Amino acid sequence: MKQGSGLVKIRGWCYRQRSSNKFIFIVLRDSTDIIQCVVSKDKVNEKTWKDADKVRIEFSLEIEGTIKEDKRAPTGYEIDVSKLHIVAPSETFPITKDKSTEFLLDVRHLWLRSRQMTDIMKVRSAVLEACNEFFKKEGYYETAPPIITGSSCEGGSTQFEIKYFDEKAYLSQSAQLYLEALIFSLEKVWALTPSFRAEPSRTQRHLAEYWHCEMEAAWMGFEGLQKFEEEMISFICQYAAKNAGGQLSALGRKPADLKKVKPPFPRLSYDEALKELAKKGHKVKWGEDLRTEEERLLTEKLTKPLIVTQYPKAIKAFYMKEDPKNAKLVLCNDVLAPEGFGEIIGGSERETDNAKLIKRLKEAGESTKDYQWYLDLRKYGSVPHSGFGLGIERVVRWLCKLESIRDAIPFPRTIARKYP
Ligand code: NSS
């Protein structure tokens, strides 16, 4: 939609409509915004007036007219219509006010037209653009790891099994193991892929299919990893504030608050986090993972993300490097979004000692046969390396202050839903 003063031609969908004897007001929506179009009976021919009178919500239209500034109009401009063409009519649109969340999920294909979903999808697009720009700026190569895999990265219990010709295979939970192979030629790599988790839980932050932005870098240690995570999250926040500020404001997130998300972020070791929680009267037994409730307690008053480091080895994935200062811990970190939105990044320095990897794979009940290729990587010129995975929908949920992660993706897949 072009705005200015003068003659304009626009096309879009009817968002709202009301009429009187002399005027028909059509609010037209396109991908950029909405604008009020006024059809005056005494300024248009009879056919145009009759057509305008037929227009209902979601009719697709082409309109010609003169645009002028009007402070009373919803977006500050108004079009005085001279020509109107109905491209296609619409049956009575099923979405009206006060529909239930479940109903809106059933008609997701139509609900995506709402202002709210449009705003969220624009923020999402800005987040993806930011990831691209950040990696480009840092000299990373974008790569294409497989989605069908024979090995588990994050534990067998949440893997989707598929029939692969006469064998079993799985949908990828993470591109990490393949990115680790790629660092030996490209050194700094990243990928954006769908990841799949057969999460049996119905939560506000788990999807069965989500978009996973992952990086891996040769020669990067644990401290370097955390600096990189801080820089990247800050970059995404600055980028979204700058390029999707209007949408964020409409969703209740002040862009100015995102601009303040700059390094350094507060950090706590797992041990320190347990002490913080105890101070708040919340006891967690050493060795237990931090759940949604604990993550909320640690971050609800923060304005920047919190990095929690060095979790117990026994509750973390096999590939995480043992802490050289304490063999019970691993050099991993979870980045928790502020305001209780929970984990947005999981990362670690990687274990390079094959004996340790084999021991941990066995403890996890995995067959080392499926990981021969991965173990090979440590045999031929192994180097220290680190990487992380960032959940795109987790970040969008935080930035847009969404109650549920389902609204951060156009067609959410959860245990309860694969339609539409
Ligand atoms: O399981 S993770 O914590 N870590 C990995 O998969 C590593 N292999 C990544 C890596 O180092 N390359 O998942 C990473 C992130 C996590 O912090 C969330 O932001 C997101 O992926 N995640 C999810 N988002 C939505 N729904 C579900 N179920 C989900 N699981 C993880």
Side-chain angles (χ1 to χ4, degrees):
M1 202 180 284
K2 258 190 178 164
Q3 291 193 352
S5 203
L7 201 67
V8 289
K9 233 178 162 174
I10 59 167
R11 54 190 173 194
W13 294 262
C14 173
Y15 181 67
R16 269 199 304 263
Q17 175 270 34
R18 73 192 157 86
S19 49
S20 67
N21 292 342
K22 291 191 175 151
F23 301 102
I24 296 171
F25 298 93
I26 297 170
V27 177
L28 200 76
R29 139 185 104 65
D30 75 359
S31 61
T32 62
D33 210 335
I34 56 173
I35 189 162
Q36 175 154 287
C37 306
V38 186
V39 188
S40 316
K41 195 168 189 179
D42 57 4
K43 287 195 199 158
V44 294
N45 63 31
E46 208 181 320
K47 177 164 184 335
T48 303
W49 177 259
K50 273 196 176 152
D51 282 349
D53 202 31
K54 285 185 209 150
V55 173
R56 295 291 177 269
I57 287 175
E58 291 309 311
F59 270 48
S60 47
L61 305 170
E62 281 171 346
I63 283 178
E64 249 181 80
T66 320
I67 190 160
K68 58 178 200 300
E69 212 172 333
D70 186 334
K71 296 245 157 31
R72 294 163 307 171
T75 38
Y77 285 85
E78 198 174 79
I79 292 174
D80 208 358
V81 178
S82 49
K83 281 189 198 156
L84 178 145
H85 168 61
I86 296 176
V87 178
S90 166
E91 291 181 19
T92 307
F93 201 57
I95 302 175
T96 50
K97 274 210 173 101
D98 304 323
K99 289 290 185 191
S100 71
T101 310
E102 275 310 302
F103 176 79
L104 293 177
L105 285 164
D106 284 340
V107 293
R108 184 59 159 230
H109 50 299
L110 303 176
W111 180 235
L112 287 173
R113 301 178 187 196
S114 65
R115 302 273 283 160
Q116 187 195 331
M117 286 308 299
T118 307
D119 284 338
I120 299 169
M121 290 307 125
K122 286 183 184 175
V123 173
R124 182 187 169 101
S125 174
V127 168
L128 294 176
E129 238 169 65
C131 292
N132 247 287
E133 287 225 354
F134 184 74
F135 283 122
K136 195 166 146 197
K137 174 171 93 65
E138 297 293 320
Y140 277 65
Y141 291 99
E142 185 170 6
T143 63
I147 302 299
I148 299 175
T149 168
S151 36
S152 160
C153 184
E154 296 302 322
S157 66
T158 62
Q159 270 189 319
F160 277 107
E161 195 179 295
I162 56 166
K163 189 172 164 308
Y164 188 68
F165 304 104
D166 291 333
E167 284 178 82
K168 273 187 206 163
Y170 306 97
L171 295 178
S172 169
Q173 298 168 304
S174 162
Q176 179 193 322
L177 306 187
Y178 297 98
L179 293 181
E180 284 189 59
L182 282 158
I183 60 159
F184 292 90
S185 53
L186 298 170
E187 295 191 34
K188 301 199 278 189
V189 294
W190 76 285
L192 176 70
T193 56
S195 275
F196 302 86
R197 307 271 169 122
E199 305 272 3
S201 44
R202 290 166 199 246
T203 74
Q204 303 291 42
R205 57 184 199 156
H206 286 96
L207 292 164
E209 175 183 291
Y210 71 96
W211 286 81
H212 206 170
C213 179
E214 295 176 271
M215 60 71 68
E216 196 71 31
W219 319 108
M220 184 184 267
F222 190 48
E223 178 58 29
L225 174 73
Q226 289 167 82
K227 287 227 164 77
F228 193 91
E229 291 167 346
E230 288 176 330
E231 291 290 341
M232 178 159 168
I233 292 173
S234 171
F235 187 88
I236 294 172
C237 289
Q238 310 304 319
Y239 193 94
K242 183 162 170 252
N243 296 288
Q247 288 77 23
L248 287 163
S249 302
L251 293 161
R253 161 73 65 201
K254 287 194 195 115
D257 291 347
L258 293 184
K259 287 193 186 143
K260 289 186 208 143
V261 178
K262 289 203 170 137
F265 296 171
R267 291 185 197 180
L268 289 177
S269 68
Y270 170 86
D271 284 5
E272 288 165 339
L274 292 201
K275 284 187 195 134
E276 276 300 306
L277 288 165
K279 273 194 226 153
K280 294 176 196 283
H282 190 92
K283 276 225 153 54
V284 176
K285 217 170 107 202
W286 197 93
E288 276 174 16
D289 210 351
L290 303 180
R291 296 161 311 165
T292 309
E293 176 59 5
E294 284 90 42
E295 291 186 355
R296 190 184 60 76
L297 283 168
L298 288 171
T299 63
E300 62 190 346
K301 300 228 163 64
L302 299 182
T303 52
K304 289 197 226 179
L306 169 72
I307 306 185
V308 183
T309 63
Q310 290 140 298
Y311 284 67
K313 185 161 71 183
I315 53 168
K316 286 290 180 184
F318 74 94
Y319 53 71
M320 295 178 174
K321 187 179 173 67
E322 193 177 281
D323 186 342
K325 294 200 189 110
N326 181 347
K328 283 201 163 79
L329 306 176
V330 278
L331 296 181
C332 71
N333 68 41
D334 281 0
V335 182
L336 313 181
E339 304 160 13
F341 280 99
E343 182 193 330
I344 49 175
I345 279 186
S348 65
E349 183 168 344
R350 314 309 189 187
E351 184 57 77
T352 48
D353 179 334
N354 261 355
K356 285 183 178 155
L357 282 170
I358 291 168
K359 184 164 177 277
R360 294 200 18 223
L361 277 168
K362 284 187 177 154
E363 281 164 5
E366 297 285 347
S367 139
T368 51
K369 200 174 104 256
D370 298 334
Y371 295 86
Q372 278 315 316
W373 68 270
Y374 182 72
L375 298 169
D376 266 357
L377 304 176
R378 274 68 178 163
K379 290 188 198 159
Y380 306 105
S382 181
V383 292
H385 62 289
S386 301
F388 69 78
L390 169 150
I392 295 293
E393 292 76 17
R394 295 269 179 101
V395 171
V396 172
R397 176 175 175 237
W398 160 45
L399 298 190
C400 296
K401 289 189 164 217
L402 305 177
E403 171 84 14
S404 167
I405 194 167
R406 288 179 308 212
D407 284 341
I409 189 162
F411 295 99
R413 268 76 183 99
T414 61
I415 186 167
R417 181 171 292 281
K418 60 178 184 340
Y419 177 95

